Each structure stands twice: as C-alpha cells, then as structure tokens.
Amino acid sequence: MLVPLLVGAAVAVATGAYGRLHTPTGIAVNLAGFSGPQAVKVWLGSGAAFFAVLQLLSALAIWGRLGSFSPSWAGTAHRWSGRIAFLLTVPVAVHCLYALGFADHDPRTLLHSLLGCLFFGAFTTKMLALPRPGLAGWVLPVIGGLVFTVLMGIWLTSSLWYFTTVGVGT
C-alpha cells in the first residue's frame, strides 16, 4: 500500500503546486446551453456527486450492507457509476486549475482548492490499490469512503454554494 499512497500524495501535491504556480487565465471549458463556464462547472460537479452517491449505494450492496438487497448487477453499476463520476470531474478540474488556479482568498475557496487536490490524490491511491492482492478487507472501503467524502466536500463548497448564492439556473 505504500506505493499507491506515495503516488496519490504526489498527485495531490503536484495538482496543488500547478494550481498555485500557474497564472489563471480566466478562460475555461464552456458548453452550449449554459450561461457560462461556472454554470458548466457546478452542473458537471453535481452530476459527479450524483454518480458518486450511486457508487456508494452499489458499494454498500456489494459489501452486503443493504440487507438482502445485493443484486448481481451491483458490481457493474459500481464500476460504471465511478467511471462516469470521474469523467465528469475532469472538465471541472481543468476549469478550476487552468482558469481559476489554487484559490485561497476566503475559507470556502481555500477548502475547495485543498479538497480538489486531495480528491485526485485519493482517487489515484484507490485506483492503484484496486489490483493489489492481499489487501486487508478494510482498505478499499476506507479509501473509497475518503474519495466519496472528499467529492461531497467539493460539491458542498462549490455547487451547493453556487446554487444557494447565484441560483439553480443554467
């Protein structure tokens, strides 16, 4: 587990260093139908959070934590909801890192920036730990729980904040 943890830590630090050292451009990914890049970011982030909740529920089913509800398709749902959640985070991360940089001008944005770096580090650790044989039974649920918790923290400090201060419109 040492290698996945060290690589994950390096990813988190490198992401933060890039965000801090890169001069923000203010220009980012935009999609038709949205009022601007910030709206794209919060809606893609909300989609990632939705699929992360599905991943949590499917993991609970896989590990037998939902009583007798353990459908045969839970593993497939778990893998695909995770893939979709991660893919939705990529343009959000590009927007945050490239257009905004590592922000620390208030506690919310500092926490959001730190959580964003931690998310990609924890995700890297989880992906590198998955194929390792002989892991203790608690390792993947703990790392997966960390990834989920951090993503929800990111959502709370960005999308929920946006929806409650700016509004829900696109």
Side-chain angles (χ1 to χ4, degrees):
M1 258 322 285
L2 184 60
V3 171
L5 285 170
L6 290 175
V7 173
V11 166
V13 169
T15 303
Y18 174 81
R20 179 52 119 190
L21 298 174
H22 167 74
T23 303
T25 64
I27 301 168
V29 179
N30 198 2
L31 295 174
F34 290 93
S35 60
Q38 192 72 7
V40 172
K41 176 187 159 189
V42 300
W43 282 104
L44 289 177
S46 294
F50 171 79
F51 282 102
V53 169
L54 292 181
Q55 189 170 58
L56 172 66
L57 293 172
S58 60
L60 292 171
I62 291 168
W63 289 88
R65 301 289 189 236
L66 296 179
S68 63
F69 184 73
S70 186
S72 61
W73 47 264
T76 302
H78 184 73
R79 286 185 296 279
W80 278 101
S81 60
R83 289 171 182 152
I84 294 168
F86 179 75
L87 289 174
L88 290 172
T89 68
V90 172
V92 175
V94 168
H95 173 85
C96 290
L97 288 170
Y98 189 71
L100 305 173
F102 189 97
D104 61 359
H105 45 272
D106 63 52
R108 180 192 63 81
T109 56
L110 174 60
L111 180 60
H112 181 73
S113 294
L114 290 170
L115 289 172
C117 297
L118 180 59
F119 171 77
F120 284 97
F123 180 81
T124 300
T125 300
K126 182 183 177 196
M127 292 300 102
L128 292 175
L130 278 174
R132 298 210 178 258
L135 286 178
W138 58 268
V139 172
L140 287 177
V142 167
I143 298 172
L146 176 63
V147 171
F148 175 80
T149 302
V150 170
L151 185 58
M152 291 302 108
I154 293 168
W155 184 81
L156 289 169
T157 57
S158 61
S159 298
L160 182 63
W161 173 85
Y162 181 89
F163 293 144
T164 58
T165 57
V166 176
V168 179
T170 59

